[in-house]
Amino acid sequence: MQRQFWQMHQMLFIHQQELGNGYLVEYANRLGLDICQFLQDLSKGAYVDRINADIEGGQISGVEAAPALFINGIRYLDRWTVEQIVAAIVAAND
């Protein structure tokens, strides 16, 4: 793990239509990652089991698309304003 999860997340989000391996290597390079390690992890599928477990957990929880919002184990399906979400979080902490 190269401790650039959120930076890579942002890069992938921005470039959602360009996710081929060549692009991934370019993004890793832009972030200053160890390219040899990145390529080894990519070729070995180093995180495939974790990703599949996350997908399965989401499906079990009823998630059909991302993003999905849960507060205290309750899934919110409707559109919410920021004020409503903050109120739900505050209520969950009480």
Side-chain angles (χ1 to χ4, degrees):
M1 193 168 294
Q2 297 192 35
R3 303 194 183 281
Q4 297 283 333
F5 176 84
W6 289 112
Q7 292 85 344
M8 182 61 91
H9 174 279
Q10 182 68 16
M11 188 78 71
L12 298 176
F13 186 79
I14 291 169
H15 301 283
Q16 293 178 45
Q17 304 306 314
E18 300 165 324
L19 298 176
N21 286 348
Y23 288 111
L24 297 179
V25 172
E26 179 184 331
Y27 306 148
N29 189 50
R30 285 187 202 172
L31 294 173
L33 300 184
D34 177 332
I35 298 301
C36 290
Q37 183 65 50
F38 181 80
L39 290 171
Q40 286 176 3
D41 290 343
L42 193 62
S43 69
K44 289 190 292 187
Y47 301 102
V48 170
D49 290 342
R50 170 119 189 239
I51 292 166
N52 287 334
D54 286 348
I55 291 170
E56 183 179 338
Q59 290 171 337
I60 290 169
S61 297
V63 174
E64 298 169 357
L69 175 63
F70 290 82
I71 299 174
N72 243 11
I74 298 170
R75 181 159 180 225
Y76 292 88
L77 299 171
D78 296 325
R79 290 183 176 224
W80 287 61
T81 66
V82 171
E83 292 80 13
Q84 290 172 312
I85 292 171
V86 170
I89 292 169
V90 169
N93 285 324
D94 290 340

